[in-house]
Amino acid sequence: MAKIEKWKEIWEIWDIRLVIVISLILQTFLIFSAPLRKRLSTAYIIMPMWLAYLLADATANFAVGLISKSQSDASSAFKDPDLLAFWAPFLLVHLGGPDTITAFALEDNELWLRHLLGLGFQCWAVAYAFIKSFPNHELWRPTVLMFIAGLIKYTERTRSLYLASSRRFRESLLTEPDPGPNYAKLMDEYTSKKEARLPTKIEMIPEPGRPNRSGDDGNTEKLTDLEVVQCAYRYFDTFKGLIADLIFSFRERNQSRDFFLKRTARDAFKVVEVELNFFYEILYTKVVVVQGRFGYPLRFLSFGLTCAAIVLFYLMEKHKFKKIDIGITYILLFGAIALDLIASLMVLYSDWTAVALTKSENPYCVTRMLRKALNVKRDRWPEPPENPWTFSFGFGTIMKIVRHRWSESLSKYNLINYCLHPRAKWWEATIDFFGLTNMLDGIKYVETVDFPNELRDFIFKELKVKSEMADDLETAKEIYSARGDWVLRFEGHTNLLRWINGVDYDESLILWHIATELCFNCDEKSTDTNTVCGNTNSGDGQNTDFRSLSKLLSDYMLYLLIMQATMVSTVAGIGQIRFRDTCAEAKKFLRGRKIGEVEEEKSCCLSIFPCGKCFCGSGLEEGQKNNQVRANNTPTKISFFSSIFPCCFTKCCSKDEKGPTELQKQACDSILAVNTEVEPVAVKGDRSKSVLFDACRLAKELMKSKDKKWEIISKVWVELLCYAACRCRASTHAAQLNKGGQLVTLVWLLMAHLGLGNQFQISEGHARAKLIVGK
């Protein structure tokens, strides 16, 4: 009991001090880590940030409660009510949060009313602590100053959440109601003239053309980094209604389409990346409030109040306070100043400031000085160094992360690999009971690779070809509604249409995924993926490795279907059921052929603890080492641990560096060896939704095309990707921006700019009718 009383006494002395310092640490962590959300899609960044985001608010609220309790409790161990009242406003500053994050998820914006109520209650709690410190409150002046600063911060956050809420955001984009031309007045005049038996007719006058606002004036040269930002902001300002499902005119479509058709793949994707970055910042940060009419004045006022509070606290007598409390007070004051300065620097060097300073063609002298001081024409995407540091926190890696506008990575999920390495049944049941299956599947079966420039160029080339053909609305609808059939008809492979048109989208996706995997592993040149297999000229003077691109897109699309089901929910159908049935049949088949069974027994512990391979010393990795080949020639991400402990983590934790093993090739050969002359549905019925051997029939059909097999497969996958991108809800695309972004979101926005979408429903402007009376 004595020990318990001792610890209780220690806690009563240190509880408020400790909680306040923890709150400041969490705020510091958030302001630096929040920008990484849009650049790193790994769970190792997102999960700690999510915890810090929740703990930051909880800690600040808890500290306000402790202070209020201590002020009203005469027996409290804290004997400095003046200092407590002075600390309370700092927690309002912390509840306001940093500028770099207001919402962790899109749903947080809908809770703005809860934050408004929290603002009222917390202000009352701080005011209560302030009132209880009277009549001998020596720190009342700096306390009032910090209270105003904290109120500004918390109000900024609440207003940012309100402005980013779905209803308010949509309302802010709506224009004034448009009744159109006065039809009744014109017809009254027309009727009166007709009754007077005057020769009268209505003549339509074409609407005068407007100047092209695309800003490129036919220029097809490579854009500078500043021009990329300027163009991205211009199209963001025009097309931000996409997030709210608004419609656009054909004039806006033609302006955007003409601009992007003249761009290279690099410039087009950079513009779209920066544009999505603008979307991210208006939905998840304080940028709308900061860049508003009162944003900068309030920011300067808050900073000035904090500086004045420091001066007042420094000048007053502090003999009655403990040294530790004085130190904590200075930490809070200078911490608030430091966070404000960091936030101000982030704003000054942001894309928003660059756009604001370069809007005017005849800038003021101050604007020119700021342009030069902030170096707005700097390179925002410098070329990577020839010899980048291998250490994860090296300068080259840091600069690469800083210049990202999204994660620039793709996640891969492979059905055959999933079936070859199942978990133990008891362990599968255990994690399913706790709801951890999806998270652990993401760790064990999902691989992450860098987004290759070759894939970027290929996707843009295909979209560009389609956009050039989509001159009218009907053609555009036909093209963006295609999910592989348009390419097959264009290339003359109508024999493959039954695996596109005759099945649902989710079924065709799984069919083509398995068929791609079978062809990839059983191709004659599959043991040497560094050589170009099945290539044709891409049209730009370079050879494209269609085989690698097909494999990459295939695994990525299955990842979307299984691990990111919300992104394809409108077209997925019974995709989850079909995937489970297919996996069940594949596992049953592989067990019957005794493929993978020995590996499962050896790696039973690894199925439970994936990182346990670092310590197992099993010969499994060594046995597969000589049989590994890379799945594609794209660069892969290297984890922090693999850079420090290459002898261990490079082998086991960096699973994305492994290509298909001999085991996968053996499994694919066994599946292809099955006689599939009779359709599976005629033998098995349709109760099971498995498509394993239907995919085998498709693979055998594809193998008959020797010349352009991989080119056709890759183009089909691009159409499947575009089909999913157009039919994903805009709010779902926006929700992915805080998790590093997805390629499918970039494709969705790029298709909208190229005129391939259903957002353009205003074909003409107002009719200009003229009433003509004459002979």
Side-chain angles (χ1 to χ4, degrees):
M1 291 297 295
K3 288 185 177 180
I4 294 176
E5 291 297 330
K6 181 180 179 181
W7 282 110
K8 183 179 179 181
E9 182 181 352
I10 293 175
W11 169 248
E12 289 179 350
I13 295 174
W14 284 97
D15 54 358
I16 298 176
R17 299 177 177 91
L18 185 62
V19 172
I20 288 178
V21 172
I22 290 175
S23 179
L24 179 61
I25 293 172
L26 289 172
Q27 293 298 316
T28 306
F29 175 79
L30 281 177
I31 196 171
F32 285 109
S33 63
L36 296 180
R37 287 194 304 166
K38 60 186 177 182
R39 297 182 173 103
L40 299 176
S41 60
T42 174
Y44 302 111
I45 293 295
I46 294 176
M47 287 301 293
M49 273 202 56
W50 176 69
L51 291 174
Y53 176 80
L54 295 178
L55 287 174
D57 284 355
T59 304
N61 284 316
F62 180 60
V64 173
L66 282 177
I67 290 175
S68 299
K69 178 179 177 297
S70 297
Q71 291 287 62
S72 60
D73 188 1
S75 62
S76 174
F78 206 106
K79 302 301 182 183
D80 295 323
D82 294 0
L83 209 54
L84 282 180
F86 185 41
W87 287 353
F90 287 97
L91 299 169
L92 284 181
V93 176
H94 295 174
L95 285 169
D99 294 351
T100 52
I101 179 172
T102 54
F104 190 83
L106 205 59
E107 295 76 11
D108 293 335
N109 294 322
E110 309 304 320
L111 303 177
W112 66 269
L113 188 57
R114 179 183 297 181
H115 282 270
L116 181 61
L117 293 174
L119 172 61
F121 283 118
Q122 296 302 335
C123 286
W124 166 250
V126 173
Y128 174 78
F130 179 74
I131 293 171
K132 292 292 290 185
S133 64
F134 275 94
N136 299 317
H137 189 7
E138 300 178 2
L139 293 172
W140 72 271
R141 291 182 181 84
T143 302
V144 170
L145 296 180
M146 288 309 305
F147 177 79
I148 297 174
L151 184 62
I152 291 173
K153 289 285 187 180
Y154 205 171
T155 304
E156 282 181 344
R157 181 185 183 184
T158 306
R159 179 162 174 77
S160 296
L161 292 170
Y162 167 68
L163 293 176
S165 60
S166 57
R167 182 174 179 177
R168 180 65 183 86
F169 182 72
R170 183 180 177 87
E171 289 176 352
S172 67
L173 300 176
L174 297 177
T175 57
E176 292 294 326
D178 184 7
N182 195 333
Y183 173 79
K185 179 181 179 181
L186 180 66
M187 293 309 298
D188 287 343
E189 293 182 6
Y190 177 77
T191 303
S192 64
K193 300 298 182 184
K194 280 289 187 182
E195 291 176 351
R197 297 183 178 181
L198 296 174
T200 308
K201 65 177 180 178
I202 296 177
E203 183 176 327
M204 304 302 297
I205 302 175
E207 184 180 15
R210 298 180 183 177
N212 192 334
R213 294 175 59 242
S214 61
D216 62 323
D217 299 325
N219 185 14
T220 59
E221 295 181 359
K222 180 179 177 180
L223 298 176
T224 65
D225 289 355
L226 179 59
E227 289 173 338
V228 167
V229 174
Q230 292 172 327
C231 293
Y233 180 80
R234 181 163 53 249
Y235 287 110
F236 155 76
D237 194 43
T238 303
F239 286 92
K240 58 186 175 184
L242 286 171
I243 299 296
D245 293 317
L246 299 183
I247 59 175
F248 301 90
S249 69
F250 268 66
R251 185 186 303 278
E252 293 165 327
R253 173 188 185 268
N254 293 335
Q255 290 173 354
S256 173
R257 178 169 170 262
D258 292 343
F259 173 80
F260 278 88
L261 285 177
K262 296 171 184 175
R263 305 274 73 86
T264 63
R266 181 262 183 193
D267 286 347
F269 267 83
K270 288 299 180 188
V271 169
V272 170
E273 289 168 17
V274 178
E275 188 176 352
L276 285 175
N277 186 67
F278 286 127
F279 280 120
Y280 165 83
E281 291 184 338
I282 65 173
L283 293 174
Y284 297 99
T285 71
K286 293 182 181 179
V287 70
V288 177
V289 174
V290 174
Q291 299 289 336
R293 180 181 301 177
F294 302 106
Y296 288 106
L298 288 176
R299 184 53 48 88
F300 284 120
L301 175 61
S302 175
F303 182 78
L305 292 174
T306 307
C307 292
I310 291 179
V311 174
L312 290 175
F313 183 75
Y314 175 77
L315 295 176
M316 70 169 295
E317 293 292 335
K318 298 179 282 293
H319 297 297
K320 70 173 186 176
F321 302 131
K322 296 180 181 179
K323 290 184 178 180
I324 184 65
D325 293 336
I326 296 173
I328 291 175
T329 305
Y330 276 121
I331 289 175
L332 290 174
L333 286 166
F334 285 105
I337 290 291
L339 293 179
D340 273 352
L341 288 175
I342 294 170
S344 300
L345 286 175
M346 288 183 173
V347 170
L348 288 174
Y349 283 94
S350 67
D351 294 336
W352 296 86
T353 303
V355 170
L357 291 177
T358 55
K359 274 185 177 180
S360 175
E361 296 181 358
N362 298 310
Y364 295 108
C365 179
V366 176
T367 304
R368 290 196 298 269
M369 293 174 61
L370 285 174
R371 284 183 185 180
K372 187 173 182 180
L374 298 177
N375 191 19
V376 295
K377 294 184 179 181
R378 65 185 181 275
D379 291 337
R380 288 168 170 79
W381 294 278
E383 295 296 329
E386 296 182 0
N387 297 313
W389 295 8
T390 57
F391 186 63
S392 291
F393 292 125
F395 179 76
T397 303
I398 292 174
M399 290 306 299
K400 181 180 178 182
I401 293 173
V402 168
R403 70 172 184 264
H404 281 180
R405 294 303 192 277
W406 69 297
S407 64
E408 296 189 12
S409 64
L410 295 180
S411 296
K412 299 171 24 176
Y413 191 87
N414 188 268
L415 185 143
I416 300 297
N417 177 67
Y418 174 78
C419 296
L420 284 172
H421 304 93
R423 295 188 180 93
K425 292 183 178 180
W426 67 269
W427 179 243
E428 186 72 32
T430 302
I431 63 175
D432 184 62
F433 177 79
F434 290 101
L436 301 174
T437 302
N438 192 68
M439 184 184 73
L440 295 181
D441 279 354
I443 296 175
K444 182 176 182 181
Y445 299 113
V446 175
E447 302 177 4
T448 303
V449 297
D450 286 342
F451 179 53
N453 292 337
E454 189 179 20
L455 179 59
R456 177 199 68 190
D457 298 342
F458 177 63
I459 291 175
F460 183 71
K461 177 190 171 185
E462 290 301 303
L463 292 180
K464 195 173 180 179
V465 169
K466 291 177 171 58
S467 178
E468 289 171 345
M469 296 181 179
D471 289 328
D472 53 74
L473 183 60
E474 290 73 18
T475 307
K477 285 184 176 180
E478 180 183 356
I479 290 176
Y480 82 75
S481 298
R483 50 188 179 96
D485 51 317
W486 192 84
V487 167
L488 294 178
R489 289 194 185 95
F490 187 80
E491 297 288 346
H493 290 268
T494 55
N495 59 315
L496 300 175
L497 287 174
R498 55 175 299 193
W499 284 283
I500 295 289
N501 292 339
V503 296
D504 295 332
Y505 176 80
D506 61 289
E507 184 175 355
S508 65
L509 196 151
I510 298 176
L511 277 169
W512 283 84
H513 170 79
I514 298 174
T516 302
E517 185 69 15
L518 295 177
C519 293
F520 183 85
N521 282 279
C522 298
D523 192 275
E524 293 179 358
K525 298 181 180 180
S526 63
T527 57
D528 185 10
T529 57
N530 291 324
T531 60
V532 178
C533 307
N535 286 3
T536 60
N537 195 278
S538 64
D540 55 359
Q542 297 179 352
N543 286 329
T544 304
D545 189 353
F546 293 113
R547 180 172 175 270
S548 297
L549 300 184
S550 300
K551 165 70 172 174
L552 187 57
L553 284 173
S554 170
D555 290 349
Y556 174 67
M557 290 305 298
L558 189 71
Y559 165 80
L560 290 182
L561 181 67
I562 305 304
M563 304 301 295
Q564 297 288 344
T566 55
M567 299 208 72
V568 291
S569 59
T570 58
V571 293
I574 57 172
Q576 292 284 343
I577 297 175
R578 208 180 304 276
F579 175 79
R580 287 164 61 90
D581 289 353
T582 303
C583 289
E585 185 175 20
K587 290 176 182 178
K588 182 179 179 180
F589 172 81
L590 294 174
R591 283 197 302 268
R593 296 296 193 276
K594 298 187 182 301
I595 301 174
E597 184 176 359
V598 177
E599 301 296 343
E600 181 183 353
E601 293 175 356
K602 286 183 179 180
S603 59
C604 180
C605 65
L606 304 183
S607 66
I608 303 175
F609 306 105
C611 288
K613 290 181 281 186
C614 301
F615 311 102
C616 291
S618 171
L620 175 62
E621 295 294 332
E622 293 298 327
Q624 293 182 356
K625 185 176 180 180
N626 296 328
N627 297 322
Q628 290 178 6
V629 291
R630 291 183 59 86
N632 53 60
N633 57 359
T634 59
T636 56
K637 293 187 178 297
I638 301 175
S639 67
F640 167 66
F641 294 105
S642 63
S643 64
I644 301 179
F645 306 107
C647 60
C648 176
F649 286 92
T650 302
K651 291 183 180 180
C652 60
C653 297
S654 300
K655 57 186 176 183
D656 51 329
E657 294 186 357
K658 300 176 183 178
T661 63
E662 188 65 28
L663 192 63
Q664 284 178 263
K665 190 176 187 304
Q666 183 183 353
C668 293
D669 288 337
S670 298
I671 294 172
L672 284 171
V674 176
N675 187 348
T676 55
E677 291 182 6
V678 181
E679 291 191 15
V681 68
V683 177
K684 299 169 49 183
D686 64 349
R687 181 178 180 86
S688 173
K689 300 304 178 183
S690 172
V691 295
L692 178 64
F693 291 105
D694 294 280
C696 181
R697 289 165 57 87
L698 172 59
K700 290 178 180 179
E701 192 71 26
L702 287 169
M703 288 178 179
K704 295 178 183 178
S705 304
K706 297 294 184 181
D707 297 334
K708 301 174 66 176
K709 174 181 66 178
W710 287 112
E711 182 179 4
I712 294 169
I713 294 174
S714 61
K715 289 183 177 181
V716 168
W717 277 116
V718 170
E719 279 200 10
L720 289 171
L721 171 65
C722 295
Y723 186 85
C726 282
R727 279 149 187 82
C728 179
R729 297 182 181 91
S731 58
T732 307
H733 282 301
Q736 288 295 319
L737 298 179
N738 72 324
K739 302 173 184 176
Q742 292 287 347
L743 172 63
V744 67
T745 301
L746 271 76
V747 171
W748 163 71
L749 187 55
L750 188 57
M751 290 179 68
H753 285 313
L754 288 169
L756 301 173
N758 60 351
Q759 302 91 354
F760 306 100
Q761 300 177 16
I762 306 174
S763 57
E764 297 178 359
H766 291 313
R768 297 169 61 87
K770 184 177 182 181
L771 189 66
I772 299 177
V773 180
K775 295 181 180 180

